[in-house]
């Protein structure tokens, strides 16, 4: 188990205030997407509906997405930290419960597929060209950000 910092949390784990702020910001972005305005910092945003990996409770997370072949969409599990964001763990633990909401539209069930090897590299190149900021974040990280293809079921 990781050594705990003062305050009882593991290194790299956000504190209570950070988590509270993130929940507030996510809720605000979710409202915007549901009202039909789904962009943030020049990126298209969808709401990813998952089930908690341990609790099974419903989770809603605004996530930037990029077009892919057909009606598929690509998302990147960057999280800005040393570990994958919780939504990624939730998505991979309960792929059959995944839904997405596009701006102003009803939820659609999707099948997530984590891309590996050449598939990931091709998708990553398209994402990095569309949004160089993400490539910059990746270059500063010690881990390779997972790329997930979401395909409508």
């Amino acid at each position: 188990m990781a050594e705990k910092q003062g305050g009882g949390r593991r290194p790299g784990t956000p504190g209570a205030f950070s988590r509270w702020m993130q929940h507030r910001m996510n809720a605000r972005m979710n409202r915007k997407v549901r009202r039909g305005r789904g962009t943030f910092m020049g990126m298209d945003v969808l709401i990813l509906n998952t089930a908690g990996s341990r609790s099974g409770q419903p989770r809603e997370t605004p996530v930037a997405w990029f077009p892919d072949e057909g009606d598929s969409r690509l998302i990147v599990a960057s999280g800005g930290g040393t570990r994958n964001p919780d939504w990624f763990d939730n998505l991979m633990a309960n792929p059959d419960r995944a839904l997405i909401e596009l701006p102003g539209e009803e939820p659609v069930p999707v099948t997530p597929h984590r891309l590996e090897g050449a598939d990931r590299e091709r998708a990553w190149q398209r994402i990095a060209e569309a949004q160089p900021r993400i490539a910059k974040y990746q270059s500063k990280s010690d881990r390779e950000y997972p790329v997930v293809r979401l395909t409508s079921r």
Side-chain angles (χ1 to χ4, degrees):
M1 180 163 203
E3 187 177 318
K4 293 185 177 185
Q5 295 176 335
R9 29 182 197 104
R10 284 185 266 180
T13 303
F17 180 74
S18 293
R19 287 192 313 274
W20 178 80
M21 282 299 296
Q22 189 66 53
H23 287 279
R24 299 276 308 217
M25 291 170 40
N26 285 356
R28 183 171 188 237
M29 190 70 224
N30 288 348
R31 285 190 300 273
K32 286 177 66 173
V33 169
R34 289 186 173 121
R35 289 185 198 131
R37 297 188 323 264
T39 59
F40 180 74
M41 295 178 65
M43 294 182 281
D44 292 323
V45 177
L46 57 76
I47 301 171
L48 179 64
N49 293 273
T50 60
S53 61
R54 292 183 302 273
S55 71
Q57 294 299 307
R59 304 285 187 244
E60 299 177 340
T61 310
V63 179
W65 67 273
F66 302 88
D68 193 30
E69 302 157 358
D71 68 345
S72 295
R73 288 157 182 85
L74 299 170
I75 58 176
V76 178
S78 61
T82 57
R83 53 186 282 273
N84 292 328
D86 290 343
W87 66 256
F88 176 76
D89 296 334
N90 296 341
L91 181 63
M92 295 296 107
N94 297 296
D96 56 319
R97 294 186 55 190
L99 300 153
I100 60 169
E101 295 177 53
L102 294 169
E105 296 183 15
E106 292 297 313
V108 173
V110 293
T111 300
H113 177 72
R114 181 178 181 168
L115 301 181
E116 302 285 347
D119 286 340
R120 185 205 177 273
E121 190 56 35
R122 281 190 296 275
W124 181 257
Q125 289 305 316
R126 288 196 312 272
I127 291 166
E129 287 171 11
Q131 206 45 253
R133 157 185 324 127
I134 290 179
K136 181 179 174 185
Y137 295 152
Q138 174 66 87
S139 71
K140 295 179 179 183
S141 178
D142 291 336
R143 67 183 174 88
E144 181 178 84
Y145 294 160
V147 176
V148 179
R149 174 177 289 135
L150 302 173
T151 305
S152 299
R153 283 189 250 145

